[in-house]
Amino acid sequence: MAEFVKMTGIDKAFSGNQVLKDVSFDVLPGEVHALMGENGAGKSTLIKVLTGIHPRDGGTIEVRGKEVTFSNPKEAERAGIVVIHQELNIIPHLTVAENMFLGKEMTIGKTGILRKKDMYNQTLENLKRLGVTNIDPNETAGNLSVGRQQMVEIARAVSTNAEMIIMDEPTAALTDREIDSLFDVVESLRKQNVSIVYISHRMEEIFKICDRITVLRDGEYVGTERIADTDFEAVVKMMVGRELGERFPARTSEVGETIFEVKGLSRDGWFDDIDFHVKQGEILGVAGLMGAGRTEIMEAIFGAAKKKKGQVILNGKPLNIKHPQDAIRAGIGFITEDRKDEGLVLHLSIRENIALTNMKAISGKGYISSKKEVNLIDDLIERLHVRTTGREQEVKSLSGGNQQKVVIAKWLGIEPRVLILDEPTRGVDVGAKKEIYNIMNELTEQGVAIIMVSSELPEILGVSDRIMVIHEGKVARFLDREEADQEKIMQAATGGE
Amino acid sequence: MQQTIVNNLSKLGPLIGLVLIMTILGFMSDNFFTLDNLLNLLRQISINALIAFGMTYVILTGGIDLSVGSILAFGSALTAGMLASGMDPLLAVLIGLLAGFAMGAFNGLIITKGKVAPFIATLATMTIFRGATLVYTEGRPITGLSDSFLFEMIGRGYVFGIPFPGILMIIVFFLLFFLLRKTVFGRQVYAVGGNEEAAKLSGIKADRVKIWVYSLTGMLSVLAGIILTSRLNSAQPTAGTMYELDAIAAVVLGGTSLAGGRGRLYGTLIGALIIGVLDNGLNLLNVSSFYQQIVKGGVILLAVLLDRRSK
């Protein structure tokens, strides 16, 4: 079978910094091809070179056997190559049909008068081609869930006769059910001979839906394997260049006395009567479906969102937390799920970001001591192995894993007694993931109580000492590490017995 | 390496622009580079600079303050009224400044607790404070002020031949510079403007930071107003009209981002100097005030366009 796209010997450098070295990548018609690599391995750059956002320094690109050079994504689109970005290109105030035909509206002749009825029907048709029948073309796009918006965008791509769709982390913001629908769509596209390039950090998904996998490391091509011929460990080894060993490090801390308790925490319409405790040196995993209220519970504990009633008790003393500041003073840290919107000030330096939560430690009477600040920041950068050119680097330019380490560093400085981590490894590559687990381990050895919210079941099972499952705003079940498995958690999370 | 050079160049951009404009004006007018004129310039820019310093803080938090001119007018009228009625000048000035602080705090409260967009909130208070000034002055200038040494000094005085308003402006500059770069509060200003949500979750009371910033700006506006009042030896009810625009222009020329979180106070000082130098130089060249406006607007536009280019 002839390749649909064939990239050979691609080189690319940004101001002297070589980001792609002799990279080859080919995609067959109708295959689902995973493009993998750690953050900063060059996946996005490769895609940008393909679609003409960045000009290449060397190498050739062939589409349908003909050598091409696209100078912008529009040209790539005309050749049948469409990228679905993580940040969707949907205009929320317009309807589904209006979004579908944005920039290529159907009109009566050249009058500019819209043929609304035709566009409505065509939208239905486009969605049906993907097997999607539950979206109304007249619905305002912003009212749809992220998963459905994504369907609209894929349908739009297909309607332009795309023959290759590149999906960048398509499942990052989807619920489990939405992920299943996405996989159905991928399956139906495969049958229609559309190629998919699938970029994701979620190994389970790769093995579930992909045919082949290409791995990049530090801008270099490592190899291409058929999924059937490889396995999890082998792929990880290709990605990080060495044996990573156990995916989850062994838990080493001694679990001590109960240090943190939550009693009867409630907020109308969000969560109800939440009771739980965490012991010193313990990791409590919090599982549940997306939208079950896990994040909202944590925000309420931390004082970032309202609670109706309930008690938060630390060291036997009830706390009165009205603002995150109160929680921080009590020794509670909160690593939020969305590091870009809530965790970091992206254009500030590593130093300024870490300093935000640590003002008390580095200042006296409101005056910041540069010496204390620099010492603290450098210590934390070293302790967390943040890969950086220095403390003054903008966090924006760090890879996802290193950004996450900066977020964690913010909270280590306050020497928390309780640390809440909400999806601590989302969008983080395997190598950095393991480092984050190691940090969590280290903290529990020092007696810190950790609450970890995660939507990745293997992570919940691999890291937690105890698991709390939330279902529709209520505690559905507690499970000990020994008795827990994926089935039991899913059952509790979906409301089963 | 390359990046740091580019970075430094963009930081120096406003300064290079200022030097360029001054050089051109120096060639065109023999009177420009005289000591007298330069000292005069320092006095001329002090009023706009003081307001623009406050505006820098406000814009760094991601806000804007359109009411500075009206706050200036009300604060000056109040101070002038108290002086005219024979109050102790020091006390009158302090009460005036306090009134400025209070008006700014009012802005801050509307914006944070009332959750009104800064543009709208200060647009409304701009009108309210102006109206209050007209009510208080009955629409007439207040004259017959104190002939006390202190009050004359503020706007008209010299220390070692240097105009006192200029000295005052520079002292305030260093205080505010220190506040912004070296204190917890300054860091919080940048964080709130850069990402308010992240700042809050880091334990920063964003509302409180904003209220302080608007209060500070209100107080600085009245300080500028008192300089103006002392210079004219009278308070005009229409004083400070459109001053917000020159202040915002100075901030923007200095490279501070209107989106918040990014910028420097030193840049604002340069920005205020650029505007002042243009006014001063074009006057020396006898350019009509109609054309002056076109040139000034053109320079601002050019600066912003060049800034876009370099990004």
Side-chain angles (χ1 to χ4, degrees):
Chain A
M1 208 166 8
E3 296 91 355
F4 176 67
V5 163
K6 185 171 176 160
M7 303 175 80
T8 320
I10 303 293
D11 289 315
K12 178 70 196 171
F14 290 115
S15 49
N17 187 11
Q18 194 79 25
V19 287
L20 291 177
K21 278 167 275 184
D22 194 21
V23 172
S24 297
F25 181 52
D26 66 83
V27 182
L28 301 170
E31 80 163 336
V32 182
H33 195 138
L35 182 58
M36 294 203 77
E38 297 191 70
N39 294 318
K43 294 164 297 182
S44 325
T45 313
L46 186 68
I47 297 306
K48 284 177 180 162
V49 166
L50 171 63
T51 54
I53 294 172
H54 297 318
R56 60 181 185 270
D57 298 340
T60 57
I61 301 176
E62 289 170 41
V63 176
R64 296 187 198 85
K66 259 191 248 141
E67 206 176 316
V68 293
T69 300
F70 303 124
S71 47
N72 58 55
K74 268 270 159 293
E75 285 184 24
E77 225 174 288
R78 257 178 253 134
I81 300 171
V82 178
V83 184
I84 310 281
H85 293 280
Q86 217 173 329
E87 282 87 25
L88 295 174
N89 256 323
I90 293 281
I91 300 181
H93 301 297
L94 299 182
T95 67
V96 170
E98 283 165 345
N99 269 292
M100 185 76 70
F101 285 94
L102 198 64
K104 43 181 190 286
E105 288 82 1
M106 297 165 88
T107 56
I108 305 171
K110 287 191 172 175
T111 55
I113 299 168
L114 298 170
R115 284 154 54 199
K116 285 204 168 175
K117 186 81 193 152
D118 291 338
M119 288 195 279
Y120 177 92
N121 289 330
Q122 191 59 47
T123 303
L124 271 185
E125 197 58 38
N126 292 345
L127 288 166
K128 217 167 110 193
R129 227 184 117 184
L130 303 180
V132 179
T133 51
N134 52 7
I135 297 177
D136 176 6
N138 282 337
E139 176 74 60
T140 306
N143 293 345
L144 300 176
S145 67
V146 181
R148 289 189 174 180
Q149 292 183 18
Q150 199 176 48
M151 296 296 167
V152 172
E153 199 163 324
I154 295 172
R156 180 166 66 190
V158 174
S159 76
T160 62
N161 294 318
E163 291 183 58
M164 178 166 124
I165 298 179
I166 300 163
M167 299 184 184
D168 188 3
E169 294 269 355
T171 56
L174 300 193
T175 64
D176 291 338
R177 204 165 304 158
E178 287 174 324
I179 291 175
D180 285 340
S181 334
L182 177 72
F183 289 172
D184 290 343
V185 166
V186 167
E187 202 49 53
S188 85
L189 287 171
R190 192 207 311 256
K191 282 194 191 114
Q192 297 167 44
N193 222 26
V194 175
S195 316
I196 310 269
V197 174
Y198 196 89
I199 302 173
S200 175
H201 284 304
R202 296 193 179 171
M203 210 68 86
E204 285 80 12
E205 295 175 359
I206 303 289
F207 281 91
K208 199 163 164 187
I209 62 161
C210 295
D211 302 306
R212 287 199 299 161
I213 173 169
T214 291
V215 175
L216 302 183
R217 185 173 68 233
D218 300 330
E220 286 182 76
Y221 173 78
V222 180
T224 302
E225 299 282 347
R226 280 162 42 90
I227 288 288
D229 301 339
T230 185
D231 60 22
F232 186 92
E233 273 75 34
V235 172
V236 170
K237 197 180 166 192
M238 282 168 86
M239 280 167 58
V240 295
R242 62 193 151 86
E243 298 274 359
L244 202 59
E246 283 296 312
R247 190 172 169 200
F248 302 104
R251 299 274 299 115
T252 47
S253 70
E254 295 250 328
V255 174
E257 296 295 308
T258 295
I259 178 170
F260 185 68
E261 279 175 277
V262 171
K263 281 187 186 163
L265 197 72
S266 302
R267 182 182 173 196
D268 288 346
W270 293 87
F271 48 84
D272 190 31
D273 206 16
I274 303 293
D275 278 317
F276 70 90
H277 69 272
V278 198
K279 301 190 180 102
Q280 277 185 319
E282 183 184 45
I283 297 180
L284 176 72
V286 182
L289 299 180
M290 227 174 262
R294 293 169 301 167
T295 297
E296 290 75 12
I297 293 167
M298 298 308 146
E299 282 174 353
I301 291 172
F302 192 65
K306 282 183 189 130
K307 59 172 186 202
K308 185 83 184 295
K309 54 184 182 203
Q311 264 192 321
V312 175
I313 301 162
L314 182 66
N315 270 338
K317 266 180 264 160
L319 301 175
N320 183 15
I321 297 172
K322 290 193 172 127
H323 186 279
Q325 197 179 67
D326 304 326
I328 294 167
R329 286 194 178 143
I332 302 172
F334 182 30
I335 293 167
T336 53
E337 123 187 78
D338 186 337
R339 64 175 164 266
K340 284 187 177 139
D341 284 344
E342 299 173 341
L344 296 167
V345 185
L346 284 174
H347 65 258
L348 290 186
S349 63
I350 296 176
R351 170 178 61 81
E352 287 161 308
N353 269 286
I354 298 179
L356 280 185
T357 44
N358 294 300
M359 285 301 174
K360 244 193 171 158
I362 59 170
S363 67
K365 295 200 170 86
Y367 171 70
I368 296 172
S369 152
S370 296
K371 207 174 139 205
K372 276 191 199 163
E373 179 177 23
V374 164
N375 286 342
L376 175 82
I377 302 314
D378 284 350
D379 277 356
L380 285 169
I381 287 176
E382 204 185 297
R383 195 168 144 202
L384 294 183
H385 310 290
V386 181
R387 269 178 282 282
T388 166
T389 56
R391 67 179 102 84
E392 298 303 328
Q393 189 178 358
E394 273 189 16
V395 294
K396 192 167 56 183
S397 60
L398 294 174
S399 70
N402 281 303
Q403 284 183 352
Q404 188 67 357
K405 287 188 208 163
V406 172
V407 178
I408 295 173
K410 276 175 66 176
W411 296 103
L412 294 199
I414 69 164
E415 292 177 6
R417 285 184 284 178
V418 179
L419 188 61
I420 305 169
L421 299 108
D422 195 354
E423 306 285 359
T425 65
R426 175 178 291 174
V428 168
D429 60 60
V430 272
K433 263 185 189 175
K434 179 131 188 219
E435 285 181 87
I436 289 171
Y437 300 141
N438 282 332
I439 294 161
M440 289 166 66
N441 247 349
E442 214 177 281
L443 287 170
T444 52
E445 274 170 32
Q446 294 157 16
V448 178
I450 288 185
I451 302 166
M452 179 190 72
V453 176
S454 173
S455 295
E456 283 189 56
L457 284 183
E459 178 170 280
I460 288 272
L461 288 165
V463 176
S464 318
D465 296 314
R466 218 153 38 92
I467 297 158
M468 172 168 76
V469 187
I470 304 288
H471 170 63
E472 290 182 353
K474 288 193 175 115
V475 179
R477 190 170 179 186
F478 284 100
L479 289 158
D480 277 329
R481 186 190 181 87
E482 292 74 29
E483 57 168 331
D485 59 32
Q486 299 218 5
E487 240 164 74
K488 281 181 189 154
I489 294 176
M490 276 322 285
Q491 211 167 30
T494 51
E497 280 310 304
Chain B
M1 190 62 202
Q2 222 169 1
Q3 241 174 355
T4 49
I5 292 170
V6 172
N7 213 338
N8 285 338
L9 260 183
S10 84
K11 268 184 198 168
L12 288 177
L15 186 61
I16 294 169
L18 175 67
V19 171
L20 209 67
I21 293 169
M22 288 181 79
T23 314
I24 294 169
L25 288 171
F27 275 114
M28 291 175 74
S29 164
D30 291 339
N31 296 327
F32 184 74
F33 274 117
T34 57
L35 186 63
D36 268 357
N37 187 50
L38 291 179
L39 289 175
N40 191 23
L41 181 71
L42 190 63
R43 195 183 62 208
Q44 282 169 351
I45 71 154
S46 60
I47 289 171
N48 183 34
L50 284 170
I51 301 172
F53 293 159
M55 192 69 82
T56 308
Y57 273 73
V58 167
I59 289 178
L60 279 175
T61 64
I64 193 102
D65 189 346
L66 301 179
S67 69
V68 286
S70 300
I71 291 179
L72 177 152
F74 188 82
S76 333
L78 188 69
T79 309
M82 290 185 294
L83 285 170
S85 70
M87 187 187 273
D88 175 61
L90 186 63
L91 192 62
V93 166
L94 286 179
I95 292 175
L97 293 176
L98 213 60
F101 188 91
M103 283 183 276
F106 182 71
N107 278 337
L109 283 169
I110 301 285
I111 288 161
T112 55
K113 305 300 173 196
K115 302 198 193 318
V116 180
F119 187 94
I120 306 296
T122 58
L123 186 68
T125 56
M126 171 172 91
T127 315
I128 294 171
F129 297 150
R130 179 67 63 189
T133 313
L134 289 165
V135 169
Y136 179 75
T137 60
E138 293 170 339
R140 289 190 297 268
I142 299 175
T143 52
L145 310 183
S146 151
D147 46 12
S148 85
F149 172 74
L150 175 90
F151 185 67
E152 271 186 26
M153 189 73 184
I154 292 176
R156 283 170 278 171
Y158 288 84
V159 177
F160 302 120
I162 303 168
F164 184 74
I167 295 174
L168 196 61
M169 184 269 284
I170 288 178
I171 292 172
V172 171
F173 170 78
F174 280 111
L175 285 176
L176 292 176
F177 182 84
F178 178 82
L179 183 66
L180 198 55
R181 304 305 309 187
K182 291 285 170 194
T183 70
V184 175
F185 177 73
R187 204 60 78 72
Q188 292 175 340
V189 168
Y190 279 100
V192 167
N195 185 344
E196 187 168 344
E197 203 50 41
K200 278 184 189 162
L201 289 168
S202 298
I204 294 169
K205 300 209 159 167
D207 286 358
R208 199 180 283 181
V209 172
K210 287 188 190 172
I211 294 168
W212 272 106
V213 159
Y214 284 94
S215 309
L216 179 74
T217 303
M219 194 163 74
L220 288 167
S221 303
V222 173
L223 181 61
I226 291 170
I227 291 174
L228 185 68
T229 310
S230 161
R231 239 166 89 184
L232 303 174
N233 204 19
S234 72
Q236 308 288 332
T238 54
T241 312
M242 306 281 265
Y243 277 23
E244 63 280 354
L245 296 186
D246 268 352
I248 294 168
V251 175
V252 172
L253 279 176
T256 294
S257 158
L258 280 177
R262 246 187 269 235
R264 291 172 300 275
L265 199 65
Y266 134 86
T268 300
L269 179 61
I270 303 290
L273 275 165
I274 290 176
I275 292 172
V277 163
L278 278 175
D279 280 339
N280 173 285
L282 295 172
N283 267 333
L284 288 180
L285 294 170
N286 286 322
V287 177
S288 107
S289 67
F290 300 164
Y291 282 103
Q292 279 192 26
Q293 297 199 22
I294 296 175
V295 174
K296 229 165 84 177
V299 167
I300 292 171
L301 213 51
L302 189 71
V304 176
L305 285 172
L306 284 175
D307 196 40
R308 285 277 164 283
R309 266 278 174 81
S310 69
K311 268 170 195 158

